[in-house]
Amino acid sequence: MTLTVSDAESEGQPSPPTQRVVRVIELLADDPGAAITLAEIVRRTGFSRATAHAVLAQLTRSGWVTREDGHFTIGAGFVALARHAERGYPLRRLAAPLVHELAADLDMPVFLAERQGTRITVTELVGIPAMDWIRPGRHIPLRPPVCREFIAWSPEEDIEDWVGSAPDGARDRLREVLEVICDRGYAVERLTADHAEMIGALASLKDSPVSDTLRSRVAGLLTELTTIDYLPEESHGHVAVVTVGAPIIDPSGVVVASIVACPNREMLATELEQMGKVVVAAADRVAEAFGR
């Protein structure tokens, strides 16, 4: 899994005022404990000072944002609303205890990622992953080469569409990897030093007022630099593993979420295989409870 690149999944014309409100809320919610100044919000959103001030003034009046000593944080009104809305997501309630249990058993960070249209959202996180882009509320576009466990069990036409959006040089590898993921039950993210530096570059772009085209080009470059997953003939000796993700499949056969463990270290291939089985078992328990 990797960083946010904005995606357009709604129909009709966009509403800039609404987009500005959403952008400010996402920025403040990204680190709920942090207090951010107006100048910092202007810098990270690219809004004019007058626009940012107007948005924050309305959010403050509504109780969604709190201002204290010139710093802004998420307000109690928004937190209460979010908690009320969360009651409508039974999957999250069912998965949370198992995510905590798995994190304790493996002694590493674990998170739940749920599919919402064409993007994946981190909705539950236990522990502090080494990768700072993994945090509650983080959105990840459902684009190659990441989130493979959400695609591997899809109908063939959906797989072809997804693979077809990858750079030409990655497509054969992706098709082969998706078959392997179906066979063993989980996806593995591996990083090289170059890949880690590119993730840092993408992180810096997230809060910069750059175009979606530039973000997409950088994401494409990341795909080209990445060795995607492990094939059976590559999984021997010591392997570098960042995340291990297993799908949660609903009664209709659709992957609606995944449970992802974050070892972020080298390990023996046999240890990876055992970890994968444990993560798959946890995901299957959530799927079973969800289907009742």
Side-chain angles (χ1 to χ4, degrees):
M1 306 185 87
T2 190
L3 299 170
T4 304
V5 178
S6 62
D7 55 288
E9 56 186 271
S10 59
E11 296 181 357
Q13 295 299 315
S15 168
T18 304
Q19 290 175 330
R20 287 192 284 269
V21 170
V22 171
R23 181 69 186 91
V24 169
I25 286 292
E26 287 184 336
L27 177 60
L28 295 174
D30 205 31
D31 189 357
I36 305 178
T37 64
L38 175 61
E40 179 69 4
I41 291 170
V42 168
R43 185 186 69 80
R44 295 175 66 178
T45 61
F47 300 160
S48 70
R49 187 178 181 87
T51 295
H53 183 271
V55 171
L56 288 163
Q58 181 57 55
L59 289 172
T60 302
R61 284 194 292 270
S62 301
W64 284 24
V65 167
T66 298
R67 179 181 179 180
E68 185 174 352
D69 296 330
H71 289 73
F72 297 89
T73 59
I74 284 292
F78 182 81
V79 172
L81 181 64
R83 287 176 177 168
H84 180 74
E86 192 173 36
R87 297 172 190 165
Y89 293 89
L91 175 60
R92 198 170 310 169
R93 295 199 307 271
L94 291 169
L98 289 171
V99 170
H100 283 258
E101 180 182 319
L102 183 62
D105 289 345
L106 295 177
D107 191 23
M108 66 182 62
V110 176
F111 66 90
L112 174 71
E114 297 185 60
R115 181 169 182 173
Q116 300 170 330
T118 59
R119 70 182 182 182
I120 308 302
T121 302
V122 176
T123 58
E124 186 77 21
L125 171 63
V126 180
I128 304 175
M131 302 76 71
D132 62 5
W133 53 267
I134 298 176
R135 62 182 63 180
R138 177 54 53 88
H139 301 310
I140 304 160
L142 190 58
R143 297 174 182 167
V146 298
C147 306
R148 296 180 296 279
E149 68 270 25
F150 285 86
I151 297 297
W153 283 265
S154 299
E156 186 60 33
E157 59 270 23
D158 292 345
I159 290 176
E160 283 303 310
D161 287 345
W162 187 80
V163 171
S165 64
D168 291 346
R171 293 175 187 174
D172 289 343
R173 173 84 180 190
L174 276 172
R175 290 187 182 94
E176 193 171 2
V177 161
L178 291 176
E179 292 180 5
V180 170
I181 291 171
C182 276
D183 288 340
R184 71 186 178 204
Y186 57 90
V188 179
E189 205 65 65
R190 55 192 277 187
L191 294 183
T192 64
D194 286 343
H195 192 175
E197 290 178 7
M198 287 298 297
I199 280 188
L202 280 175
S204 68
L205 285 178
K206 174 183 178 292
D207 295 315
S208 301
V210 298
S211 68
D212 289 346
T213 300
L214 178 56
R215 288 191 179 92
S216 295
R217 288 177 178 172
V218 175
L221 178 59
L222 178 62
T223 301
E224 293 174 3
L225 291 176
T226 303
T227 302
I228 303 165
D229 216 299
Y230 283 101
L231 299 176
E233 61 270 21
E234 299 165 347
S235 188
H236 54 81
H238 284 83
V239 291
V241 181
V242 178
T243 62
V244 178
I248 298 172
I249 303 176
D250 74 7
S252 68
V254 175
V255 177
V256 292
S258 71
I259 290 181
V260 185
C262 308
N264 196 44
R265 62 179 174 85
E266 282 196 355
M267 64 182 68
L268 290 171
T270 52
E271 184 183 356
L272 168 60
E273 183 179 1
Q274 181 58 36
M275 183 182 299
K277 291 178 180 178
V278 172
V279 177
V280 168
D284 287 347
R285 287 172 63 191
V286 176
E288 182 180 356
F290 187 55
R292 289 174 188 160

